[in-house]
Amino acid sequence: MFKRPHLYAPTPPRPPDREPRFEPHPTRPERQQRLSLNARQRQAVQQALASEVLFLWGPPGTGKTDVVGHIIEGSVRQGLNVLFVAPTKVAVDQALERVCDLMRAEPGFTDGLVQRAGDIELASLDERYGEQVDPARITVRLSAQLDAALTEAAQALSETRDVIALHDEAASIEEELAGARATRSADAQDAKAAEAEQLGAEAQAAQLRLRIHQVGVPKGMFARRKELQLAELHEHVSQADATAAAARRRAADSTLRARRAAVVIEDLQGRAATARGRLTGALPRPALAQQALRLQERIDGLDKQRRKIQDTLPAKCRVMGATVAKAIQSRKLLDRVDVVVMDEAGMVSLPAAWLAAGLAGKRLVVAGDFRQLPAVTKGDSDPKATEAERVHSRHWTARDPFHAAGLVEPGGRVRPDSRLVALDTQYRMRAPRECSPAASGTGTRSYEASAPPTASE
């Protein structure tokens, strides 16, 4: 969440606008309860997380969805990306809801850690986690969040620039004030110098007039000489008077300019005091300039994210749920697929299963019950098909992955194999019930369970 910068003083963080829709991180007792698996289920999870291939078989009610959910969660914690597929939308949604229950408190969950490709069919998944797993809604929500962050960052940048403008205004006033003070000082000094020059010229003129008086009226033998001397003295008096008059005018002009500068200084001092008051407690301008730079970089980054949000959303996904058909017919749903988990595999045609399995880079988990209804195909029962075509159809489209992997004996019993874990305790009854030896092929008649798992298949 965007944290507004401080312009004047730190402020307490704002509370969230609303509570998040997902539940808080589970407490220790809750986590222990949700991890309540029986021995065979725990074996399946451990074996899946330690191998490249696992086949998980179990009749309805044996908790396959629980086991699949823990396998997916464990794979994510190993740093792997998981593509979960199932033949129907409901099967995808049921398992994905269980995965969300397990991973809802993980960082990034609200931003698309788990996603659903295609429409959500299951109402409970849509109601509880639709906002977190539907890419379209995630995009809208993240866009709204980015828009809100952009608005807040832009507002913060505007406020920061306003305070920077106050700093600049105060600096400009101080600069004008310094200039006005310098002008007043220069004018005052010039007025003082002019007054001194005036006094000097007036004193000189007085001395010259005294000398003229001492020379007196020209007469006698030296009359001509006195006339010339008086003419020179009168010329010097005129020059001294002119100098005094000019100095007097200059002193008056400088004094007037100094007084005007004093008025300007008084106004600027008031404005400077106001500007300093508006900056009380504000950060220094260099710090605000750095803050504005960071805000602009954040705005540019958010804008870039806003434009590329749809392109970056797949990179945030660690678990993608999709139907088998969508997974094999769409362009890549994940940037990298490390693990493919296929549920209800008994209802998936063999070619589709091979295509989906081929997407896995490191691990394949195939879960289901080969005794349930198989995939619906046309070739095996098409009256227009030749016998060769029917044989081809039975070999490829009418077989499920369990039969194709050689895990089912001709009589329908599960064949012991290191790649397979069979779940044989059912919980959709009033009390735990074990699958028959003929069904499981393990030769074991009973498994005790004190309580059912927290969520059924």
Side-chain angles (χ1 to χ4, degrees):
M1 183 178 180
F2 172 66
K3 183 178 181 182
R4 293 180 66 84
H6 300 312
L7 303 180
Y8 291 92
T11 55
R14 302 191 324 179
D17 296 334
R18 60 181 177 87
E19 292 294 327
R21 294 188 59 182
F22 55 91
E23 291 90 344
H25 197 284
T27 61
R28 182 177 296 275
E30 289 173 339
R31 184 169 179 82
Q32 289 175 344
Q33 183 180 11
R34 79 177 191 181
L35 291 175
S36 178
L37 303 176
N38 63 39
R40 192 61 66 86
Q41 290 171 331
R42 287 195 298 273
Q43 176 192 347
V45 174
Q46 293 170 356
Q47 186 169 328
L49 298 180
S51 60
E52 295 182 354
V53 178
L54 175 76
F55 287 84
L56 177 65
W57 172 80
T62 52
K64 291 191 298 297
T65 301
D66 274 346
V67 175
V68 165
H70 285 295
I71 291 173
I72 293 174
E73 180 196 22
S75 296
V76 171
R77 295 189 186 283
Q78 290 177 330
L80 303 176
N81 289 353
V82 181
L83 173 62
F84 172 78
V85 296
T88 66
K89 294 180 179 180
V90 172
V92 173
D93 293 346
Q94 287 175 338
L96 211 60
E97 184 173 12
R98 182 59 177 140
V99 172
C100 290
D101 287 339
L102 295 171
M103 302 188 64
R104 64 192 179 194
E106 295 299 315
F109 178 75
T110 59
D111 295 337
L113 184 72
V114 179
Q115 296 180 31
R116 170 69 159 91
D119 298 330
I120 298 176
E121 188 82 9
L122 191 65
S124 59
L125 175 64
D126 188 64
E127 180 180 351
R128 297 180 63 202
Y129 300 112
E131 291 294 327
Q132 288 79 38
V133 303
D134 182 0
R137 279 183 273 182
I138 295 172
T139 300
V140 171
R141 177 163 46 80
L142 292 181
S143 297
Q145 292 174 354
L146 287 173
D147 289 341
L150 277 168
T151 300
E152 191 169 3
Q155 179 64 29
L157 179 59
S158 176
E159 293 172 359
T160 301
R161 286 174 172 169
D162 287 344
V163 181
I164 290 176
L166 290 179
H167 275 288
D168 293 341
E169 180 184 358
S172 177
I173 293 173
E174 291 291 347
E175 184 178 353
E176 289 184 44
L177 181 58
R181 285 171 174 164
T183 299
R184 183 184 66 174
S185 177
D187 288 337
Q189 290 178 359
D190 188 59
K192 186 176 181 180
E195 289 174 356
E197 184 180 359
Q198 175 190 344
L199 291 175
E202 289 175 347
Q204 182 182 8
Q207 291 177 356
L208 290 171
R209 286 187 176 92
L210 178 60
R211 182 69 183 278
I212 290 173
H213 177 71
Q214 291 174 347
V215 172
V217 179
K219 60 181 179 179
M221 189 166 89
F222 299 102
R224 181 61 183 167
R225 183 184 295 176
K226 288 184 178 180
E227 288 178 356
L228 295 174
Q229 187 178 7
L230 288 173
E232 184 179 359
L233 288 173
H234 280 295
E235 184 178 355
H236 288 321
V237 168
S238 297
Q239 291 176 354
D241 287 341
T243 299
R248 188 181 304 110
R249 288 192 300 270
R250 196 173 83 235
D253 291 343
S254 296
T255 301
L256 180 60
R257 288 196 300 271
R259 288 173 180 172
R260 289 174 177 172
V263 174
V264 173
I265 289 171
E266 184 178 0
D267 176 66
L268 289 173
Q269 285 175 334
R271 290 170 58 192
T274 301
R276 286 192 295 269
R278 294 169 68 183
L279 287 171
T280 301
L283 296 176
R285 192 190 187 287
L288 289 170
Q290 288 296 322
Q291 187 165 279
L293 180 62
R294 290 193 297 269
L295 285 169
Q296 186 61 60
E297 290 174 350
R298 174 170 175 77
I299 289 172
D300 294 341
L302 289 171
D303 186 60
K304 186 176 181 180
Q305 291 180 41
R306 181 67 176 81
R307 294 194 302 269
K308 293 186 175 181
I309 187 169
Q310 288 186 338
D311 297 332
T312 59
L313 190 59
K316 298 180 179 181
C317 182
R318 300 294 305 283
V319 179
M320 176 65 74
T323 61
V324 174
K326 189 170 189 65
I328 63 177
Q329 294 176 13
S330 304
R331 64 175 185 174
K332 65 175 184 177
L333 299 176
L334 283 170
D335 289 345
R336 186 189 78 250
V337 178
D338 300 312
V339 181
V340 169
V341 178
M342 186 186 311
D343 199 9
E344 303 292 351
M347 300 175 61
V348 179
S349 68
L350 190 56
W354 282 122
L355 287 172
L359 299 174
K362 297 182 179 180
R363 179 178 299 155
L364 172 66
V365 177
V366 179
D369 180 9
F370 57 84
R371 289 192 177 85
Q372 290 184 293
L373 292 176
V376 178
T377 58
K378 181 180 178 182
D380 187 24
S381 58
D382 187 356
K384 297 180 180 180
T386 65
E387 182 59 27
E389 290 173 336
R390 292 193 184 97
V391 171
H392 184 274
S393 176
R394 284 194 295 269
H395 180 74
W396 289 107
T397 62
R399 289 198 303 162
D400 60 73
F402 290 93
H403 284 83
L407 301 176
V408 184
E409 295 180 350
R413 295 165 58 91
V414 175
R415 178 173 293 160
D417 193 290
S418 61
R419 298 169 296 169
L420 180 138
V421 175
L423 304 180
D424 43 26
T425 302
Q426 290 181 297
Y427 293 97
R428 288 182 180 172
M429 312 295 175
R430 292 186 179 179
R433 178 172 179 258
E434 292 73 34
C435 306
S436 65
S440 66
T442 62
T444 304
R445 292 185 174 275
S446 64
Y447 290 88
E448 295 182 359
S450 57
T454 57
S456 61
E457 180 183 356

